[in-house]
């Protein structure tokens, strides 16, 4: 039932107008210092600028909480989703998607959600 509620909320959210300026919504509690958080945000904004993306994105501080509602909403709106791993492994994600490590970040704890591609 919860899965269907999340899907309905995501569908409704996908109908809202998209942002035209860079914006990062965050979820969860960060274990980073204010300076480390600022550096991470600057890296993300610079990456967006480099690829010409000026919409909304999402950053999940991986605190083990269920974030499927936020993830489904972002997926329906075709907005990038990032995760900062605070534990040993990133929290598992919905079927058909995976967390891809962003090696450019020095902490090696930053991931982007991507669709899994089956290799034959």
């Amino acid at each position: 039932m919860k899965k269907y509620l999340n899907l309905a909320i995501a569908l409704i959210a996908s109908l809202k107008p998209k942002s035209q300026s860079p914006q990062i919504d965050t979820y969860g509690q960060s274990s980073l210092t204010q300076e480390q958080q600022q550096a991470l945000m600057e890296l993300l904004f610079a990456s967006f600028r480099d690829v010409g993306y000026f919409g909304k994105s999402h950053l999940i501080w991986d605190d083990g909480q269920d974030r499927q509602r936020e993830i489904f909403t972002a997926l329906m709106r075709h907005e990038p989703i990032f995760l900062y791993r605070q534990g040993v492994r990133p929290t598992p994600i919905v079927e058909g998607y995976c967390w891809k490590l962003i090696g450019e970040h020095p902490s090696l704890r930053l991931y982007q959600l991507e669709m899994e591609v089956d290799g034959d």
Side-chain angles (χ1 to χ4, degrees), residues 24 26 36-46 59 61:
I24 300 175
T26 60
Q36 291 170 321
Q37 288 181 42
Q38 181 67 28
L40 177 61
M41 295 298 184
E42 288 174 3
L43 173 90
L44 290 174
F45 279 120
L59 174 62
W61 302 108

Side-chain angles (χ1 to χ4, degrees), residues 73-108:
T73 300
L75 288 173
M76 295 290 287
R77 294 174 58 92
H78 302 284
E79 296 168 342
I81 307 166
F82 300 92
L83 177 128
Y84 189 87
R85 177 178 51 85
Q86 299 185 111
V88 176
R89 295 175 184 251
T91 299
I93 194 59
V94 296
E95 189 175 325
Y97 291 87
C98 63
W99 291 115
K100 180 182 176 197
L101 180 67
I102 298 176
E104 293 82 13
H105 193 264
S107 72
L108 298 179

Side-chain angles (χ1 to χ4, degrees), residues 5-46:
L5 177 63
N6 287 344
L7 186 59
I9 290 170
L11 181 60
I12 291 168
S14 71
L15 300 174
K16 293 180 182 177
K18 293 186 179 183
S19 173
Q20 295 302 314
S21 61
Q23 177 183 342
I24 300 175
D25 286 351
T26 60
Y27 310 96
Q29 294 292 324
S30 171
S31 60
L32 300 178
T33 66
Q34 191 67 28
E35 293 80 23
Q36 291 170 321
Q37 288 181 42
Q38 181 67 28
L40 177 61
M41 295 298 184
E42 288 174 3
L43 173 90
L44 290 174
F45 279 120

Side-chain angles (χ1 to χ4, degrees), residues 41-72:
M41 295 298 184
E42 288 174 3
L43 173 90
L44 290 174
F45 279 120
S47 298
F48 297 153
R49 186 183 58 243
D50 290 347
V51 298
Y53 182 77
F54 296 101
K56 182 188 260 188
S57 63
H58 306 268
L59 174 62
I60 299 170
W61 302 108
D62 190 11
D63 54 7
Q65 297 291 321
D66 179 11
R67 301 287 177 197
Q68 284 195 11
R69 179 178 292 172
E70 294 87 355
I71 291 169
F72 279 131

